[in-house]
Amino acid sequence: MREKGPLIRGEALKSVQRYDPRMRRRCWIVLLGVCLLCGGENARAGEEDGLFGWPAAKAEQQRALEQALNKVPAVERLRAWHDLFCAEPHPAGSPGEARLIKTMGKAFDAMGLETERHDVWAYMPTFEKAELSVAEGQVVIPMLPLLERPFLSDHEAGVPEVPAAFNAYSASGVAAGPVVYANYGTKADFETLDELQVSCKGKVVVARYGRNYRGFKAKYAEARGAAGVLLYTDPADSGYGKGLPWPEGGYANGMSIQRGSIKTLAYPGDPLTPFQEATKEARRLDPATVALPKIPVQPIGWAAARQILGRMKGREVPKGWQGGLPFRYRLDTGEAQLHVRLKVVQPRSIQRTANVLGVVRGALHPDELVIVGCHLDAWTFGAGDPHAGSIVLFEMARSFAALAEQGKRPDRTIVFANWGAEEYGIIGSTEWCEANAQRLRAHGVAYVNLDMAAMGANFRSAAAPALKQIIEDATKVVPQARAKDSTVHAAWSKRGQGQVGFGNLGGGSDHVGFYCHLGVPSCSLGGGGARGVS
């Protein structure tokens, strides 16, 4: 990936989120944290200054290194990275993703990093078409919306066409029949339907997002014989029930649709090559033997859901099942002659994606690896997910590359990684972990995940126990965004009423292969608090 090219192309998109200049400090927290991981001699000194792991003799040298690193990040560069990465839709396996993979490789090349491309051949879906209609007696609404309505600013910016919303790994086919409302579609919700003798067999189940992973909503419905599933965002959960909707505010409007994978296998990564790398020549499972969804599943906004739920005439919902739409919710269609038809065309095939890595070789312990990663694929433009993290990763990579040019290399090797096909089921990072399992078990020091890392000024982290103290120490010397007289640690502690609130790593992002499978200490770093962001 050594071919050279311009780093920035085109006019800045007017439709993507603009970042507050003070969010530069979100880069600083990562720079300091990674710097702490990449050096040190297992002695504790200078902890009042956020220096964990350095003997007193090296403390001043470490402080100077941190200061030099923190002089490199620039607000303008964060914005430029954002515009570059969000120029077009780039879901996994698409031509847009392939172009972004090349763009990111060129960017690492321009920094002078050792650039690597790791190709992955995975069994992935390709969205082609979805249609949804509803009929009540002789009244037919033939095409309910399956795509967000563009705003004038989007047209002015010349935004490329966006594909309709879809749930990755939905089965292709037609689901038609009456409707059952399943609340959030949790295990308990479906058990309540069973107790109330509400059958899902042959019905189209409508469930709202929240409280469990979307894939389990579909799985529980399929297990009860449902013909298909519609998943929607209820305004009580992420809409006018929470705050002002977009574009006036940051919460979901009636056309906002949450895309997402519904794969529920017992392992992440490529569905057909569990625990082995998905190369082009890999031995694969027969797709017919793999428990992927067998019914059509489609995400919609609450404007479309209203056209269905508002026509139901059956039994009232039990306590706690009422959402935010302005009518009483019902469990089934009752006496209404209500009929929903859903068609999904989403074939699955072996497709290529790739991971793009930029490497800064360690000076003293080059075999020991600190990996900093963020996925590169997105359902559409990826302005928040993932590229609020990508901009931090690339500006951090630029900082370490600048110092490396001056002969100031970290003690350990740092790998800056952009993972392909995360949204479809943590595919790219899992396959890289499987390809490098022996190396990572022996020499993996830590993995730092930056998915959606700059979504507000309120710092947050989930981490392995081994990394929590290092992260907390780093926050003590980083200024808090929008509060120049405070530190990240002070603001973080204040929100926790005197305690810093670490989370524990679960599933759902690219740390899974490193932490849950290989045992590499891992953490996620980021910030929340922006409008519409928890």
Side-chain angles (χ1 to χ4, degrees):
M1 299 190 68
R2 291 292 174 183
E3 93 185 83
K4 302 294 182 180
L7 185 60
I8 304 300
R9 65 172 184 267
E11 183 182 359
L13 292 178
K14 300 175 184 177
S15 61
V16 294
Q17 177 181 353
R18 291 194 175 275
Y19 285 84
D20 189 307
R22 290 162 289 186
M23 288 308 294
R24 171 180 176 175
R25 292 169 183 148
R26 192 62 47 230
C27 267
W28 290 7
I29 192 69
V30 182
L31 287 173
L32 292 183
V34 172
C35 200
L36 290 167
L37 290 167
C38 292
E41 298 178 5
N42 298 320
R44 190 174 179 89
E47 58 185 287
E48 70 280 357
D49 293 331
L51 290 176
F52 172 69
W54 273 266
K58 292 189 67 176
E60 287 303 320
Q61 178 183 349
Q62 177 61 21
R63 291 189 188 96
L65 176 61
E66 291 178 0
Q67 291 170 2
L69 282 167
N70 285 333
K71 288 180 181 178
V72 178
V75 173
E76 296 77 13
R77 296 303 307 170
L78 291 170
R79 177 67 199 189
W81 292 126
H82 195 261
D83 293 344
L84 179 64
F85 301 151
C86 302
E88 63 176 331
H90 45 280
S94 70
E97 188 202 37
R99 284 188 286 270
L100 181 59
I101 287 167
K102 291 182 179 179
T103 295
M104 287 180 162
K106 290 178 181 179
F108 278 152
D109 281 344
M111 296 176 192
L113 300 184
E114 298 178 29
T115 307
E116 300 175 9
R117 171 178 170 144
H118 173 240
D119 283 338
V120 175
W121 297 85
Y123 189 61
M124 299 192 296
T126 299
F127 173 80
E128 292 186 2
K129 182 170 65 173
E131 298 173 351
L132 178 62
S133 62
V134 58
E136 183 181 12
Q138 300 302 312
V139 179
V140 178
I141 303 176
M143 290 294 290
L144 295 185
L146 302 178
L147 178 66
E148 295 85 352
R149 182 177 69 250
F151 292 93
L152 180 61
S153 59
D154 296 324
H155 291 302
E156 290 174 343
V159 171
E161 182 179 354
V162 178
F166 64 100
N167 287 126
Y169 292 104
S170 164
S172 293
V174 175
V179 180
V180 169
Y181 170 65
N183 196 27
Y184 290 101
T186 64
K187 183 174 183 287
D189 289 336
F190 278 102
E191 289 172 348
T192 297
L193 290 176
D194 295 341
E195 293 169 4
L196 295 173
Q197 297 184 335
V198 177
S199 174
C200 296
K201 188 172 183 179
K203 312 288 180 58
V204 176
V205 171
V206 179
R208 50 176 163 160
Y209 276 117
R211 299 193 182 176
N212 68 341
Y213 169 56
R214 69 185 76 82
F216 290 122
K217 301 174 193 288
K219 183 175 183 177
Y220 299 148
E222 182 180 322
R224 285 164 171 79
V229 177
L230 296 171
L231 303 177
Y232 81 102
T233 300
D234 195 279
D237 301 314
S238 182
Y240 54 70
K242 293 291 186 180
L244 292 173
W246 180 261
E248 186 178 3
Y251 291 89
N253 62 32
M255 304 292 289
S256 300
I257 304 176
Q258 182 190 131
R259 296 153 171 84
S261 176
I262 55 170
K263 181 162 70 76
T264 58
L265 301 177
Y267 50 89
D270 173 38
L272 304 188
T273 58
F275 307 106
Q276 65 171 341
E277 182 186 1
T279 63
K280 192 173 184 178
E281 299 80 18
R283 293 183 62 183
R284 291 179 161 82
L285 300 176
D286 180 351
T289 67
V290 179
L292 292 170
K294 294 179 172 59
I295 60 174
V297 181
Q298 176 65 33
I300 58 177
W302 59 255
R306 180 174 183 170
Q307 297 292 338
I308 299 169
L309 298 177
R311 288 177 161 81
M312 296 171 69
K313 305 295 184 184
R315 285 175 285 177
E316 292 186 58
V317 294
K319 184 178 180 180
W321 285 41
Q322 177 66 35
L325 292 171
F327 46 77
R328 187 63 179 166
Y329 286 30
R330 310 297 183 104
L331 289 174
D332 51 22
T333 55
E335 297 178 357
Q337 297 179 12
L338 187 65
H339 188 92
V340 168
R341 183 181 187 274
L342 168 66
K343 181 178 181 179
V344 174
V345 181
Q346 193 186 120
R348 304 164 185 164
S349 62
I350 304 298
Q351 300 177 48
R352 183 169 68 170
T353 182
N355 304 312
V356 183
L357 307 104
V359 180
V360 178
R361 196 68 56 183
L364 298 181
H365 311 290
D367 291 338
E368 297 186 8
L369 305 177
V370 174
I371 304 100
V372 184
C374 179
H375 68 93
L376 61 87
D377 62 307
W379 293 102
T380 56
F381 297 95
D385 182 6
H387 297 312
S390 301
I391 64 172
V392 178
L393 186 148
F394 270 81
E395 196 62 352
M396 179 167 51
R398 196 172 69 89
S399 300
F400 278 92
L403 265 65
E405 286 185 356
Q406 303 170 24
K408 300 175 183 178
R409 291 183 172 272
D411 288 354
R412 298 178 172 92
T413 294
I414 310 178
V415 179
F416 297 101
N418 301 277
W419 310 116
E422 186 270 354
E423 295 289 4
Y424 287 3
I426 319 176
I427 291 175
S429 60
T430 297
E431 300 309 319
W432 193 79
C433 285
E434 291 171 352
N436 295 275
Q438 184 174 350
R439 179 185 180 200
L440 289 168
R441 285 193 184 102
H443 303 296
V445 174
Y447 174 69
V448 180
N449 200 43
L450 299 179
D451 193 357
M452 300 177 66
M455 298 296 290
N458 298 333
F459 176 74
R460 57 191 179 190
S461 176
L467 302 182
K468 290 182 179 180
Q469 189 63 58
I470 298 174
I471 296 167
E472 183 176 355
D473 286 352
T475 66
K476 295 175 181 178
V477 294
V478 177
Q480 171 63 25
R482 305 176 185 136
K484 64 180 180 179
D485 297 328
S486 181
T487 64
V488 168
H489 187 274
W492 188 18
S493 178
K494 183 177 180 180
R495 292 194 303 275
Q497 298 181 331
Q499 300 288 328
V500 294
F502 277 99
N504 295 311
L505 290 167
S509 195
D510 289 302
H511 62 272
V512 169
F514 295 92
Y515 189 51
C516 302
H517 181 47
L518 299 177
V520 176
S522 301
C523 66
S524 65
L525 302 176
R531 294 180 303 171
V533 179
S534 60

